[in-house]
Amino acid sequence: MRDTETSIKRAASRSSRLSIVIALSASALLSVVGPVHAAPAKDPLPADIPDYQAALAAVKSADVRNAVCRFLRTPVPTGGVGGPVETIPETAEPCQGLPVFTIKDPVARNEITPGFVAGTAKPLPTEAIKLTQLVSSLSTTVNGRNATVMLAPTQGGGWHLAAVRDGDVDAAYAGKATVGTLVFTEPQIRGWYQLKLTTVEPLNDQAREGLGGQASVSLGDYQKLVKARYADKLPGSEYDTNGYSSGYGTQRKADDASSSALLLAGGSSAALALAGGVVVLRRRRRTSTS
């Protein structure tokens, strides 16, 4: 019952954020997406991120900070995809000796939905886009490096550390969302877009290439584009079962493919490992006696 209630709250919260996008652009669509909930003018995101206080607590926690420090202390592997995975050593004071930094408040990382890609969902913001993760960058570079902290929703409510990634691209683009607009990613090509009502505009070169060089397209036309690209590559498809699900396109870089592979774990049994510039969490093998 608790899991069901949590799912309902998350769905309602996501719908609230998308309703603001629609309401500020065309009140005629309010009957489709439901009532608008007020959002602070300074930062519209926290009002529509479920359990945002838990997300704040996570990025401010000693465990997450220590994970970031261990990440920053470990050189990025040079072997690329398929290279050796380096285990990050656990130290008592991982942040000792590093420059002072803080982890910024998390922002929403939205993605296109499988239903939108398959063409089974209507080209409406509430059905096309979903909140998948939260991302935070650092307040300053540390020894010339920045990092992105990625949080994933915890079953039953709250958020937990999913990964630490080199750079701050995700957080920088996700932070461009404003009242009345929505920012989302097409992760297969690392494209970032801004959605204004039902108009999609590119925010980076990958997105412009994804739109065929157009300055903007309707959400319906964008759906046709992604359906043509991925509808036959969704989970369970022949493309997926043949082992090609790690990415799409001929110009994807190796670090893009590796950075999308996150291993989740939790509790004291989680160990940190570094692969392709991404800290992943691995569950330690527990010994048992019988």
Side-chain angles (χ1 to χ4, degrees):
M1 179 64 72
R2 182 180 177 184
D3 290 346
T4 301
E5 292 177 351
T6 300
S7 299
I8 292 173
K9 289 179 180 179
R10 284 180 174 161
S13 179
R14 182 172 67 252
S15 183
S16 167
R17 164 90 177 133
L18 296 173
S19 295
I20 292 173
V21 175
I22 293 176
L24 293 179
S25 304
S27 59
L29 289 181
L30 287 177
S31 60
V32 176
V33 297
V36 178
H37 299 274
K42 180 180 178 182
D43 187 349
L45 294 173
D48 298 284
I49 293 176
D51 303 317
Y52 190 69
Q53 287 302 320
L56 283 176
V59 298
K60 306 301 180 185
S61 69
D63 286 346
V64 169
R65 183 176 181 82
N66 287 340
V68 173
C69 289
R70 293 189 182 100
F71 173 82
L72 294 171
R73 285 185 178 280
T74 307
V76 177
T78 58
V81 179
V85 176
E86 180 178 354
T87 300
I88 299 177
E90 295 187 12
T91 57
E93 299 291 340
C95 297
Q96 186 174 5
L98 288 179
V100 176
F101 68 90
T102 58
I103 302 174
K104 295 179 181 179
D105 292 351
V107 293
R109 184 180 186 277
N110 300 295
E111 295 184 13
I112 50 178
T113 66
F116 179 73
V117 172
T120 57
K122 297 178 180 178
L124 295 172
T126 47
E127 299 191 35
I129 310 301
K130 66 176 180 179
L131 172 65
T132 57
Q133 292 176 321
L134 302 183
V135 288
S136 307
S137 58
L138 307 186
S139 60
T140 185
T141 58
V142 178
N143 297 338
R145 291 172 69 183
N146 208 320
T148 295
V149 173
M150 309 186 76
L151 302 180
T154 301
Q155 185 175 7
W159 298 86
H160 64 271
L161 178 64
V164 183
R165 174 183 292 172
D166 247 330
D168 61 352
V169 172
D170 288 83
Y173 280 115
K176 292 180 179 293
T178 62
V179 175
T181 69
L182 183 71
V183 170
F184 67 93
T185 182
E186 183 183 330
Q188 295 86 350
I189 62 171
R190 300 289 288 167
W192 284 91
Y193 304 85
Q194 187 174 54
L195 179 64
K196 298 178 179 179
L197 182 53
T198 57
T199 299
V200 178
E201 299 177 356
L203 292 178
N204 63 357
D205 290 340
Q206 293 92 325
R208 279 183 280 275
E209 182 180 350
L211 298 185
Q214 301 179 82
S216 66
V217 299
S218 70
L219 189 57
D221 285 342
Y222 175 67
Q223 183 177 32
K224 294 176 183 177
L225 292 172
V226 295
K227 182 179 179 181
R229 285 200 280 267
Y230 314 122
D232 60 345
K233 301 174 179 67
L234 291 171
S237 66
E238 182 179 356
Y239 181 88
D240 176 48
T241 55
N242 284 339
Y244 297 107
S245 60
S246 62
Y248 171 85
T250 58
Q251 298 181 354
R252 282 178 57 85
K253 297 180 181 178
D255 58 351
D256 291 338
S258 65
S259 65
S260 65
L262 308 181
L263 306 179
L264 308 183
S268 60
S269 63
L272 291 174
L274 188 66
V278 184
V279 161
V280 293
L281 304 180
R282 290 179 152 183
R283 188 178 300 278
R284 289 203 186 102
R285 188 183 302 274
R286 294 185 177 182
T287 59
S288 60
T289 58
S290 56

